[in-house]
Amino acid sequence: MAKQVTKKSKDSCIINAAVYQGNERLCSVNLDEAGEWAKKPDHIVWIGLYEPDEKILKKLQKQFNLNPLAIEDANQTHQRTKVEQYGDSLFIVARTLESQGKYIALHETHIFVGKGYVVTVRHGGSASYGPVRLRYESLVHPFKDNEQFITYSLLDFIVDNYIPVVERIHHDVEQLEDRITKGPFEAEDVEELHRLQRNLLRLRTAVAPMVEVCKRLEHGDLLPVPPDIQELFRDVTDHIRRVQDEIEVLREVLVFAFNTNMMLGQVAQGDITRKLAAWAAILAVPTAIAGIYGMNFQFMPETQWQYGYFAILAVMFTICTTLYLLFRKNDWL
Amino acid sequence: MAKQVTKKSKDSCIINAAVYQGNERLCSVNLDEAGEWAKKPDHIVWIGLYEPDEKILKKLQKQFNLNPLAIEDANQTHQRTKVEQYGDSLFIVARTLESQGKYIALHETHIFVGKGYVVTVRHGGSASYGPVRLRYESLVHPFKDNEQFITYSLLDFIVDNYIPVVERIHHDVEQLEDRITKGPFEAEDVEELHRLQRNLLRLRTAVAPMVEVCKRLEHGDLLPVPPDIQELFRDVTDHIRRVQDEIEVLREVLVFAFNTNMMLGQVAQGDITRKLAAWAAILAVPTAIAGIYGMNFQFMPETQWQYGYFAILAVMFTICTTLYLLFRKNDWL
Amino acid sequence: MAKQVTKKSKDSCIINAAVYQGNERLCSVNLDEAGEWAKKPDHIVWIGLYEPDEKILKKLQKQFNLNPLAIEDANQTHQRTKVEQYGDSLFIVARTLESQGKYIALHETHIFVGKGYVVTVRHGGSASYGPVRLRYESLVHPFKDNEQFITYSLLDFIVDNYIPVVERIHHDVEQLEDRITKGPFEAEDVEELHRLQRNLLRLRTAVAPMVEVCKRLEHGDLLPVPPDIQELFRDVTDHIRRVQDEIEVLREVLVFAFNTNMMLGQVAQGDITRKLAAWAAILAVPTAIAGIYGMNFQFMPETQWQYGYFAILAVMFTICTTLYLLFRKNDWL
Amino acid sequence: MAKQVTKKSKDSCIINAAVYQGNERLCSVNLDEAGEWAKKPDHIVWIGLYEPDEKILKKLQKQFNLNPLAIEDANQTHQRTKVEQYGDSLFIVARTLESQGKYIALHETHIFVGKGYVVTVRHGGSASYGPVRLRYESLVHPFKDNEQFITYSLLDFIVDNYIPVVERIHHDVEQLEDRITKGPFEAEDVEELHRLQRNLLRLRTAVAPMVEVCKRLEHGDLLPVPPDIQELFRDVTDHIRRVQDEIEVLREVLVFAFNTNMMLGQVAQGDITRKLAAWAAILAVPTAIAGIYGMNFQFMPETQWQYGYFAILAVMFTICTTLYLLFRKNDWL
Amino acid sequence: MAKQVTKKSKDSCIINAAVYQGNERLCSVNLDEAGEWAKKPDHIVWIGLYEPDEKILKKLQKQFNLNPLAIEDANQTHQRTKVEQYGDSLFIVARTLESQGKYIALHETHIFVGKGYVVTVRHGGSASYGPVRLRYESLVHPFKDNEQFITYSLLDFIVDNYIPVVERIHHDVEQLEDRITKGPFEAEDVEELHRLQRNLLRLRTAVAPMVEVCKRLEHGDLLPVPPDIQELFRDVTDHIRRVQDEIEVLREVLVFAFNTNMMLGQVAQGDITRKLAAWAAILAVPTAIAGIYGMNFQFMPETQWQYGYFAILAVMFTICTTLYLLFRKNDWL
């Protein structure tokens, strides 16, 4: 509760805000001076926000001269995964994943990138970008004094976080597949299949448009990208496409599982019907015979015989046994 | 009734017709002078019609020099969602949605846009564009003295009206999904699934071509669009594509629901068949035995025994119980 | 019979052949002079043929210098819907529709267009183009002295004739949809669904390539088209695409109907199996009890009791009623 | 046997090899001189081979300076249908069809075309190109002194040979469709459907890439083609696309047949289950009543009545008849 | 065990490393001098590695100035099949196949190609490229002094190794198809179908992106390729597309098999239900009659008749036989 109150208090949504020269952290920065710092050559302002209120966003807009439409989008979730260019700045919307029990939850991160600044806006359970910042501060890398390198690091982090989720689904799908050879699915297997299909669909919703985003960044469709950064973006594209390929394969595997199970169900239904029929036939014989000798006719010669009863028992037994063997031979039993 | 008569009376189909300079409303305007007003620099004539008769449309055509083919289209409903360029004017057909009980009804709005004028022609239950006009008149916005801004406002309004409809379907689909885990569908669930599929199809019919329309307006394929308006159209494109993505996801979710239900139905059918078979087997035993001892043979030693009856009852009970336990163990019961 | 003989007699396949200056009919024309008339500036020869024999086609070829491959095609039916350019003339193949009882029949019209002439060749039940000619002769229209305007009029007529066919199918599909809520389909509903699928497929065969034909004419890919005619062709494209969209929607509606019905069938099968099982269980009780008391053991105490019979009847009744009520509660009955 | 020996003997695989000037056959030609003849202006060497051994192919390669990769391909079957350019020569692989009983067999023809020569290499049951040669030698045609005209004639011949095969399948598909209205399929109908699907798939394998081959030849992507030959290739493209369209329609018709049959099967299954249930119910009544009066209670008043037996028979009969009529009314019987 | 230790020992992962001038092997080469050798004109260093450790890869990177991202990829498996250009070098990832019992395992080979060097990095069960090296050393071929020729040879080898795997699946699919005509599938046939679908999916995963890789190499999108090498790459493209076509056909054949089997299962289910119903009806007759004459009414005239018993047996027999014959006639039995 207290936490939620804190979250709403002024600036509590600012997770981190600092100026960097190269990858060296100069100082923390106040939102109201961020624009000026960003304009200094070779300086980069990197601000991390978590579910900011409108006031903060308005400040940001003023500092970096952001487009009001982008700011409006950043204030809402349920945006499409996309990258859009507004003047000389980019607005990126990326989906992040979180395993919630058996289902996958989708969250969002919005990124503003422009000359001299990077702003991340996290919503919901998006993982913190603290590790990205730490790595940035600690690594020595030729192109680190570049807002596009930070953008790359963020997207790389987001995409890398997809992989354990996909791997878990992969694992669950394989378990379901192993289940196939053990006869038709029970209700809980069917529900598991449904759950996996839903998760894969949700995953695909997040991943598929991300390929487009990465490709556009890689090819410098929007802003010119130096070749070495281009190679980095290509690497992210490659990772995300690997995830996408995996999703498509898993989706198809589930379709196979569905079809195979429908067929096995049909086979099982056929087996059981045949078995039922066979036993019904076997049992019908003594019933019919017993019925006949249960009739109350006064003159029924067999009933007078000394061993009629045993004879008829023998006849019943013989016919039933013969039928049983015949059905066995025909694989009905 | 009276209303319908009114509707047919002269000019009753003109909902609003005014001249604007910037976003300031100068005066109402008569159709016969509309053309002249439109030609004055920085003046915009904005006319709102509702199911106009041919005479009105002919007047319009004359005033704004509209293409007769577009006028012919505007006089009929069941047009395709589209944008078409005739000379230096645009003719846009957009679908509007209305929830009618459990189903979605599609209506139409036709928009004529040219230098200095915007004409909207509503058909059926299309929502009034009064709110758009009010917002236009009240807002201060750098590009408001532009017929393309009004076009944007209209399309934005239309697309925003799609969202509650999609959300309602989304909600219904989720309810149906929750239903899945409660065993195979009843007939009314199946009908609900069918209804949702139909509504999504109808929705897609309205939405899918709208993406194309917005994109063409955004990219200025037809008329040159200033960059700031372009960004606004891009925003509409983004909204409509979000709706489209949602529709595709919901369609797929329904397919999953269908498949899952078919499988659950098969599972349930198998369960019931097995249960049926088990009980038939259990009951067949006393029937067969009773049949045998119901035969009228004169010499049936067991029937003479003092406790034969009780013995045989015990045998029956033992066999039935054993069978019952066996079936339980095999999960048939 | 006589008619057929006539049809084969010389020139009986020439339905109409006339020279026009503007839209004024100058005179009828003999095939042997058609070429000369066509060469006069502002004159157009318009010839309408019905299943012509090879001799007539050869004459045509000579008069208008047509391509032998096109002539060969025009002599056969079962051409693909297409437009092809041979030198400076066009050869168009269009499909026409005819409702024959419950099914749709496809026919063909071939059109040759070149500078100064239009030749239509009808096959099978293609509707006569008399109305098109009448309208051409009666209308005052700025671009009527143009062979491309006639081409447009012909295609417009053909496409307009698709609409009632689609509407009839639309009506039948809706009736089938209403049928869904009344429980699983009977055999005749299934056959109706099949008939509609077949008709839609046939319709699509005719319509789909027509979109391409109209588009190519609209964009002047083949011959240069003046802008005002271009708009007319665009209008035809628009109509044909509306028909196409409708076909796709109807096809999908039938798929939904199929799936919904499969599910309803499964539900109904489950219901009936449960009902069957319940009644079997209820009836098994008196049968089993009666069987037991039908045994011929000498010592069966209950049978000696004064009211044993009535007691046992009461027991039977009680068990059956209890079972019945239980099954009701579980919705099996 | 003898034939096979002959086939393996030297040059027995050379079916025909001749030099033409225009379409006039000058003389037969020896492989070792073929190259020289081909170089003479206006002379064309046309060689027809049937499953040649490697030695012959090596000779060919040397004479016409063919590419070793193409020669390697020509020595093997199971090539993809394709056209490839090696320097200034083309290598075409086309599939030919042969009806073998109920199935379609695919064979291959490889064609080498270059300045002054055409070489055909037939494999398996490909039809002889004798008729093409005969027509070439007999016809008077403006462009006959052209190796591309011969290529056209060969492809035209190959494609024309597809048509009877497609027509036969069309006929079989229609027969299967007529079968639909006669109730659910028997096993042999299902197998027929499967056979047709397989044949259509095989056909499509042969036809689909052929469209690409013809289009590339038509558009002169590979070697420059004079306009009149281009029109001829376009004609072949048109034929092959007609075949392709037909295949796609037939494939879809089979899908409809499959679905319709699944539904009819479900309907039939429902009918029979209902019928079964109804008869079971009707028969259960006398069984239950007879069971009750078959019990051996000492005091069962009805059994003492004079006409108890007849009364009970009447009761049985009445109940059974009533049930029967009720089931009839409900359409269960 | 010993082998594994060896594998981990220094340089044990270097399978072969040699310098070639033309196709003549000059000498083995140490990794630390490889870069210098590669720079000498007309010399090519060809290094074959098997699951190298990071140290080796770092050395390689230094020698040939490779991109660190590519090196990172080469150190991991589960890369996407791809070709990527880093400066003037290429990095190729190709999948290799291995039959493991009934399933196909995918392995990987990574290839670095640049001016003067080719490095192959095998992972898992990828076949050794020894044969490619041997053929290279023994063949006389005009373009052998070219790193692209070696690239071609490697890809050709990889693709050729796909063919036996596809052929084995082809064989298994055909066997499954033959199985169809022998009635509905048993559970093991269903599992076989599932196994084949899974293998084909895995195969497609490997093959489909390979087409793209080969095409890009063929068209010289990345590095300029001399025309004669281009023809060689085209040949590989052709092979891989043949494999791909085969996979698509086999996938569709399995779909047909699935559908056919579902239908046959339905037919069989219908048959058995009808048969069951028929026998139930036949057996119900004697049961009902016997039940009636088993009742204990005191006055049942038939039971007093001398030959009542035999008469009733005759009646039973007649009715049963008649029913049997009727069912036979209706094809229920």
Side-chain angles (χ1 to χ4, degrees), chain A residues 67 78 82 85 198 251 262 272 276 293 295, chain B residues 177 231 234 238 242 252 266 274 277 296:
Chain A
N67 189 292
H78 296 296
K82 62 178 175 182
Q85 185 175 3
R198 287 295 278 120
R251 280 167 62 91
M262 288 307 277
I272 217 174
L276 209 58
Y293 288 104
M295 292 193 292
Chain B
E177 271 206 295
E231 275 172 10
R234 187 168 67 184
D238 196 54
R242 219 185 309 157
E252 200 154 351
Q266 207 193 40
R274 275 203 301 271
N296 295 319

PDB file of all heavy atoms in Angstrom, chain A residues 67 78 82 85 198 251 262 272 276 293 295, chain B residues 177 231 234 238 242 252 266 274 277 296:
ATOM      1  N   ASN A  67       7.391  14.866 -29.473  1.00  0.00           N
ATOM      2  CA  ASN A  67       6.110  15.035 -30.143  1.00  0.00           C
ATOM      3  C   ASN A  67       4.965  14.724 -29.188  1.00  0.00           C
ATOM      4  O   ASN A  67       4.993  13.721 -28.489  1.00  0.00           O
ATOM      5  CB  ASN A  67       6.064  14.103 -31.347  1.00  0.00           C
ATOM      6  CG  ASN A  67       4.868  14.370 -32.215  1.00  0.00           C
ATOM      7  OD1 ASN A  67       3.745  14.115 -31.795  1.00  0.00           O
ATOM      8  ND2 ASN A  67       5.097  14.902 -33.390  1.00  0.00           N
ATOM      9  N   HIS A  78      -1.035  -0.714 -23.792  1.00  0.00           N
ATOM     10  CA  HIS A  78      -1.753  -1.323 -24.920  1.00  0.00           C
ATOM     11  C   HIS A  78      -1.430  -0.628 -26.231  1.00  0.00           C
ATOM     12  O   HIS A  78      -2.281  -0.476 -27.100  1.00  0.00           O
ATOM     13  CB  HIS A  78      -3.269  -1.331 -24.696  1.00  0.00           C
ATOM     14  CG  HIS A  78      -3.643  -2.174 -23.535  1.00  0.00           C
ATOM     15  ND1 HIS A  78      -3.435  -3.533 -23.505  1.00  0.00           N
ATOM     16  CD2 HIS A  78      -4.182  -1.864 -22.339  1.00  0.00           C
ATOM     17  CE1 HIS A  78      -3.852  -4.003 -22.351  1.00  0.00           C
ATOM     18  NE2 HIS A  78      -4.301  -3.035 -21.618  1.00  0.00           N
ATOM     19  N   LYS A  82       6.176  -1.021 -31.987  1.00  0.00           N
ATOM     20  CA  LYS A  82       6.443  -0.219 -33.186  1.00  0.00           C
ATOM     21  C   LYS A  82       7.634   0.681 -32.959  1.00  0.00           C
ATOM     22  O   LYS A  82       8.102   0.874 -31.833  1.00  0.00           O
ATOM     23  CB  LYS A  82       5.229   0.650 -33.518  1.00  0.00           C
ATOM     24  CG  LYS A  82       4.903   1.657 -32.415  1.00  0.00           C
ATOM     25  CD  LYS A  82       3.727   2.543 -32.770  1.00  0.00           C
ATOM     26  CE  LYS A  82       3.378   3.441 -31.585  1.00  0.00           C
ATOM     27  NZ  LYS A  82       2.232   4.299 -31.821  1.00  0.00           N
ATOM     28  N   GLN A  85       9.225   7.580 -36.154  1.00  0.00           N
ATOM     29  CA  GLN A  85      10.116   8.721 -36.185  1.00  0.00           C
ATOM     30  C   GLN A  85       9.305  10.002 -36.096  1.00  0.00           C
ATOM     31  O   GLN A  85       8.345  10.191 -36.831  1.00  0.00           O
ATOM     32  CB  GLN A  85      10.896   8.698 -37.500  1.00  0.00           C
ATOM     33  CG  GLN A  85      11.932   9.786 -37.581  1.00  0.00           C
ATOM     34  CD  GLN A  85      12.775   9.661 -38.832  1.00  0.00           C
ATOM     35  OE1 GLN A  85      12.533   8.782 -39.652  1.00  0.00           O
ATOM     36  NE2 GLN A  85      13.747  10.528 -38.977  1.00  0.00           N
ATOM     37  N   ARG A 198      -2.446 -20.622 -26.309  1.00  0.00           N
ATOM     38  CA  ARG A 198      -2.718 -19.247 -25.911  1.00  0.00           C
ATOM     39  C   ARG A 198      -1.426 -18.500 -25.595  1.00  0.00           C
ATOM     40  O   ARG A 198      -1.250 -17.346 -26.006  1.00  0.00           O
ATOM     41  CB  ARG A 198      -3.641 -19.241 -24.677  1.00  0.00           C
ATOM     42  CG  ARG A 198      -5.037 -19.615 -24.976  1.00  0.00           C
ATOM     43  CD  ARG A 198      -5.700 -18.601 -25.870  1.00  0.00           C
ATOM     44  NE  ARG A 198      -6.190 -17.443 -25.137  1.00  0.00           N
ATOM     45  CZ  ARG A 198      -5.796 -16.202 -25.348  1.00  0.00           C
ATOM     46  NH1 ARG A 198      -4.857 -15.941 -26.237  1.00  0.00           N
ATOM     47  NH2 ARG A 198      -6.299 -15.212 -24.684  1.00  0.00           N
ATOM     48  N   ARG A 251       4.100 -23.711 -32.594  1.00  0.00           N
ATOM     49  CA  ARG A 251       2.688 -23.644 -32.977  1.00  0.00           C
ATOM     50  C   ARG A 251       2.313 -24.823 -33.868  1.00  0.00           C
ATOM     51  O   ARG A 251       1.267 -25.444 -33.702  1.00  0.00           O
ATOM     52  CB  ARG A 251       2.402 -22.349 -33.734  1.00  0.00           C
ATOM     53  CG  ARG A 251       2.239 -21.154 -32.831  1.00  0.00           C
ATOM     54  CD  ARG A 251       2.288 -19.873 -33.627  1.00  0.00           C
ATOM     55  NE  ARG A 251       1.223 -19.768 -34.583  1.00  0.00           N
ATOM     56  CZ  ARG A 251       0.039 -19.208 -34.328  1.00  0.00           C
ATOM     57  NH1 ARG A 251      -0.210 -18.724 -33.140  1.00  0.00           N
ATOM     58  NH2 ARG A 251      -0.892 -19.137 -35.251  1.00  0.00           N
ATOM     59  N   MET A 262      -6.701 -36.255 -32.121  1.00  0.00           N
ATOM     60  CA  MET A 262      -8.035 -36.499 -32.675  1.00  0.00           C
ATOM     61  C   MET A 262      -8.068 -37.895 -33.302  1.00  0.00           C
ATOM     62  O   MET A 262      -9.034 -38.633 -33.141  1.00  0.00           O
ATOM     63  CB  MET A 262      -8.387 -35.450 -33.735  1.00  0.00           C
ATOM     64  CG  MET A 262      -8.686 -34.064 -33.219  1.00  0.00           C
ATOM     65  SD  MET A 262      -9.961 -33.958 -31.914  1.00  0.00           S
ATOM     66  CE  MET A 262     -11.477 -33.946 -32.893  1.00  0.00           C
ATOM     67  N   ILE A 272     -13.058 -49.330 -28.482  1.00  0.00           N
ATOM     68  CA  ILE A 272     -13.981 -49.559 -27.381  1.00  0.00           C
ATOM     69  C   ILE A 272     -15.344 -50.016 -27.907  1.00  0.00           C
ATOM     70  O   ILE A 272     -15.998 -50.885 -27.310  1.00  0.00           O
ATOM     71  CB  ILE A 272     -14.081 -48.292 -26.508  1.00  0.00           C
ATOM     72  CG1 ILE A 272     -14.197 -48.689 -25.062  1.00  0.00           C
ATOM     73  CG2 ILE A 272     -15.196 -47.416 -26.914  1.00  0.00           C
ATOM     74  CD1 ILE A 272     -14.158 -47.480 -24.156  1.00  0.00           C
ATOM     75  N   LEU A 276     -17.017 -53.492 -26.915  1.00  0.00           N
ATOM     76  CA  LEU A 276     -18.376 -53.488 -26.382  1.00  0.00           C
ATOM     77  C   LEU A 276     -19.259 -54.449 -27.170  1.00  0.00           C
ATOM     78  O   LEU A 276     -20.027 -55.245 -26.606  1.00  0.00           O
ATOM     79  CB  LEU A 276     -18.916 -52.058 -26.532  1.00  0.00           C
ATOM     80  CG  LEU A 276     -19.946 -51.565 -25.557  1.00  0.00           C
ATOM     81  CD1 LEU A 276     -19.413 -51.648 -24.141  1.00  0.00           C
ATOM     82  CD2 LEU A 276     -20.291 -50.112 -25.884  1.00  0.00           C
ATOM     83  N   TYR A 293     -35.268 -71.631 -22.472  1.00  0.00           N
ATOM     84  CA  TYR A 293     -35.580 -72.720 -21.540  1.00  0.00           C
ATOM     85  C   TYR A 293     -36.285 -72.219 -20.288  1.00  0.00           C
ATOM     86  O   TYR A 293     -36.638 -72.984 -19.407  1.00  0.00           O
ATOM     87  CB  TYR A 293     -34.310 -73.511 -21.191  1.00  0.00           C
ATOM     88  CG  TYR A 293     -33.884 -74.320 -22.371  1.00  0.00           C
ATOM     89  CD1 TYR A 293     -32.814 -73.949 -23.152  1.00  0.00           C
ATOM     90  CD2 TYR A 293     -34.643 -75.439 -22.756  1.00  0.00           C
ATOM     91  CE1 TYR A 293     -32.465 -74.653 -24.269  1.00  0.00           C
ATOM     92  CE2 TYR A 293     -34.306 -76.156 -23.889  1.00  0.00           C
ATOM     93  CZ  TYR A 293     -33.210 -75.756 -24.643  1.00  0.00           C
ATOM     94  OH  TYR A 293     -32.886 -76.448 -25.771  1.00  0.00           O
ATOM     95  N   MET A 295     -39.062 -70.579 -20.705  1.00  0.00           N
ATOM     96  CA  MET A 295     -40.462 -70.505 -21.111  1.00  0.00           C
ATOM     97  C   MET A 295     -41.262 -71.607 -20.413  1.00  0.00           C
ATOM     98  O   MET A 295     -40.744 -72.679 -20.114  1.00  0.00           O
ATOM     99  CB  MET A 295     -40.566 -70.655 -22.624  1.00  0.00           C
ATOM    100  CG  MET A 295     -39.965 -69.453 -23.363  1.00  0.00           C
ATOM    101  SD  MET A 295     -40.409 -69.409 -25.107  1.00  0.00           S
ATOM    102  CE  MET A 295     -39.527 -70.838 -25.724  1.00  0.00           C
TER     103      MET A 295
ATOM    104  N   GLU B 177     -13.772 -18.336 -23.160  1.00  0.00           N
ATOM    105  CA  GLU B 177     -12.550 -19.101 -22.874  1.00  0.00           C
ATOM    106  C   GLU B 177     -12.596 -19.692 -21.466  1.00  0.00           C
ATOM    107  O   GLU B 177     -12.172 -20.833 -21.260  1.00  0.00           O
ATOM    108  CB  GLU B 177     -11.346 -18.180 -22.980  1.00  0.00           C
ATOM    109  CG  GLU B 177     -10.769 -18.119 -24.366  1.00  0.00           C
ATOM    110  CD  GLU B 177      -9.311 -17.751 -24.264  1.00  0.00           C
ATOM    111  OE1 GLU B 177      -9.026 -16.641 -23.824  1.00  0.00           O
ATOM    112  OE2 GLU B 177      -8.469 -18.596 -24.607  1.00  0.00           O
ATOM    113  N   GLU B 231       1.668  13.178 -39.382  1.00  0.00           N
ATOM    114  CA  GLU B 231       1.838  12.509 -38.098  1.00  0.00           C
ATOM    115  C   GLU B 231       0.497  12.169 -37.463  1.00  0.00           C
ATOM    116  O   GLU B 231       0.339  11.139 -36.817  1.00  0.00           O
ATOM    117  CB  GLU B 231       2.661  13.394 -37.149  1.00  0.00           C
ATOM    118  CG  GLU B 231       4.153  13.198 -37.355  1.00  0.00           C
ATOM    119  CD  GLU B 231       4.985  14.195 -36.565  1.00  0.00           C
ATOM    120  OE1 GLU B 231       4.422  14.901 -35.718  1.00  0.00           O
ATOM    121  OE2 GLU B 231       6.206  14.266 -36.815  1.00  0.00           O
ATOM    122  N   ARG B 234      -0.854   9.239 -39.213  1.00  0.00           N
ATOM    123  CA  ARG B 234      -0.101   8.059 -38.774  1.00  0.00           C
ATOM    124  C   ARG B 234      -0.649   7.539 -37.446  1.00  0.00           C
ATOM    125  O   ARG B 234      -0.740   6.346 -37.226  1.00  0.00           O
ATOM    126  CB  ARG B 234       1.378   8.398 -38.641  1.00  0.00           C
ATOM    127  CG  ARG B 234       2.224   7.174 -38.361  1.00  0.00           C
ATOM    128  CD  ARG B 234       3.698   7.469 -38.515  1.00  0.00           C
ATOM    129  NE  ARG B 234       4.174   8.384 -37.500  1.00  0.00           N
ATOM    130  CZ  ARG B 234       5.423   8.874 -37.458  1.00  0.00           C
ATOM    131  NH1 ARG B 234       6.301   8.538 -38.400  1.00  0.00           N
ATOM    132  NH2 ARG B 234       5.784   9.690 -36.508  1.00  0.00           N
ATOM    133  N   ASP B 238      -2.163   3.982 -36.697  1.00  0.00           N
ATOM    134  CA  ASP B 238      -1.704   3.176 -35.579  1.00  0.00           C
ATOM    135  C   ASP B 238      -2.886   2.634 -34.773  1.00  0.00           C
ATOM    136  O   ASP B 238      -2.928   1.451 -34.435  1.00  0.00           O
ATOM    137  CB  ASP B 238      -0.815   4.054 -34.688  1.00  0.00           C
ATOM    138  CG  ASP B 238       0.004   3.224 -33.739  1.00  0.00           C
ATOM    139  OD1 ASP B 238       0.704   2.324 -34.220  1.00  0.00           O
ATOM    140  OD2 ASP B 238      -0.074   3.462 -32.528  1.00  0.00           O
ATOM    141  N   ARG B 242      -4.040  -1.277 -34.396  1.00  0.00           N
ATOM    142  CA  ARG B 242      -4.178  -1.915 -33.097  1.00  0.00           C
ATOM    143  C   ARG B 242      -5.506  -2.680 -33.037  1.00  0.00           C
ATOM    144  O   ARG B 242      -5.563  -3.818 -32.584  1.00  0.00           O
ATOM    145  CB  ARG B 242      -4.138  -0.845 -32.004  1.00  0.00           C
ATOM    146  CG  ARG B 242      -3.365  -1.300 -30.787  1.00  0.00           C
ATOM    147  CD  ARG B 242      -3.419  -0.283 -29.664  1.00  0.00           C
ATOM    148  NE  ARG B 242      -3.054   1.061 -30.124  1.00  0.00           N
ATOM    149  CZ  ARG B 242      -3.436   2.174 -29.500  1.00  0.00           C
ATOM    150  NH1 ARG B 242      -4.194   2.112 -28.415  1.00  0.00           N
ATOM    151  NH2 ARG B 242      -3.063   3.345 -29.963  1.00  0.00           N
ATOM    152  N   GLU B 252      -8.204 -15.912 -33.764  1.00  0.00           N
ATOM    153  CA  GLU B 252      -7.399 -17.111 -33.518  1.00  0.00           C
ATOM    154  C   GLU B 252      -7.795 -17.752 -32.186  1.00  0.00           C
ATOM    155  O   GLU B 252      -7.850 -18.980 -32.071  1.00  0.00           O
ATOM    156  CB  GLU B 252      -5.913 -16.767 -33.552  1.00  0.00           C
ATOM    157  CG  GLU B 252      -5.059 -17.987 -33.777  1.00  0.00           C
ATOM    158  CD  GLU B 252      -3.719 -17.660 -34.416  1.00  0.00           C
ATOM    159  OE1 GLU B 252      -3.515 -16.499 -34.851  1.00  0.00           O
ATOM    160  OE2 GLU B 252      -2.884 -18.551 -34.484  1.00  0.00           O
ATOM    161  N   GLN B 266     -14.571 -35.015 -27.608  1.00  0.00           N
ATOM    162  CA  GLN B 266     -14.120 -36.375 -27.900  1.00  0.00           C
ATOM    163  C   GLN B 266     -13.753 -37.098 -26.602  1.00  0.00           C
ATOM    164  O   GLN B 266     -14.107 -38.264 -26.405  1.00  0.00           O
ATOM    165  CB  GLN B 266     -12.910 -36.308 -28.828  1.00  0.00           C
ATOM    166  CG  GLN B 266     -12.753 -37.522 -29.701  1.00  0.00           C
ATOM    167  CD  GLN B 266     -11.396 -37.552 -30.371  1.00  0.00           C
ATOM    168  OE1 GLN B 266     -10.377 -37.223 -29.776  1.00  0.00           O
ATOM    169  NE2 GLN B 266     -11.380 -37.956 -31.619  1.00  0.00           N
ATOM    170  N   ARG B 274     -17.035 -45.446 -22.134  1.00  0.00           N
ATOM    171  CA  ARG B 274     -16.381 -46.383 -21.225  1.00  0.00           C
ATOM    172  C   ARG B 274     -17.262 -46.652 -19.998  1.00  0.00           C
ATOM    173  O   ARG B 274     -17.403 -47.789 -19.552  1.00  0.00           O
ATOM    174  CB  ARG B 274     -15.042 -45.809 -20.763  1.00  0.00           C
ATOM    175  CG  ARG B 274     -13.915 -46.081 -21.727  1.00  0.00           C
ATOM    176  CD  ARG B 274     -12.568 -46.008 -21.031  1.00  0.00           C
ATOM    177  NE  ARG B 274     -12.369 -44.686 -20.442  1.00  0.00           N
ATOM    178  CZ  ARG B 274     -11.825 -43.659 -21.073  1.00  0.00           C
ATOM    179  NH1 ARG B 274     -11.417 -43.796 -22.308  1.00  0.00           N
ATOM    180  NH2 ARG B 274     -11.675 -42.498 -20.473  1.00  0.00           N
ATOM    181  N   ALA B 277     -20.121 -48.861 -20.935  1.00  0.00           N
ATOM    182  CA  ALA B 277     -19.669 -50.233 -21.149  1.00  0.00           C
ATOM    183  C   ALA B 277     -19.458 -50.923 -19.806  1.00  0.00           C
ATOM    184  O   ALA B 277     -19.835 -52.088 -19.614  1.00  0.00           O
ATOM    185  CB  ALA B 277     -18.368 -50.224 -21.950  1.00  0.00           C
ATOM    186  N   ASN B 296     -36.288 -73.882 -16.923  1.00  0.00           N
ATOM    187  CA  ASN B 296     -37.215 -74.832 -16.314  1.00  0.00           C
ATOM    188  C   ASN B 296     -36.779 -76.291 -16.429  1.00  0.00           C
ATOM    189  O   ASN B 296     -37.605 -77.169 -16.670  1.00  0.00           O
ATOM    190  CB  ASN B 296     -38.597 -74.660 -16.930  1.00  0.00           C
ATOM    191  CG  ASN B 296     -39.166 -73.296 -16.586  1.00  0.00           C
ATOM    192  OD1 ASN B 296     -39.029 -72.840 -15.458  1.00  0.00           O
ATOM    193  ND2 ASN B 296     -39.791 -72.652 -17.562  1.00  0.00           N
TER     194      ASN B 296
END
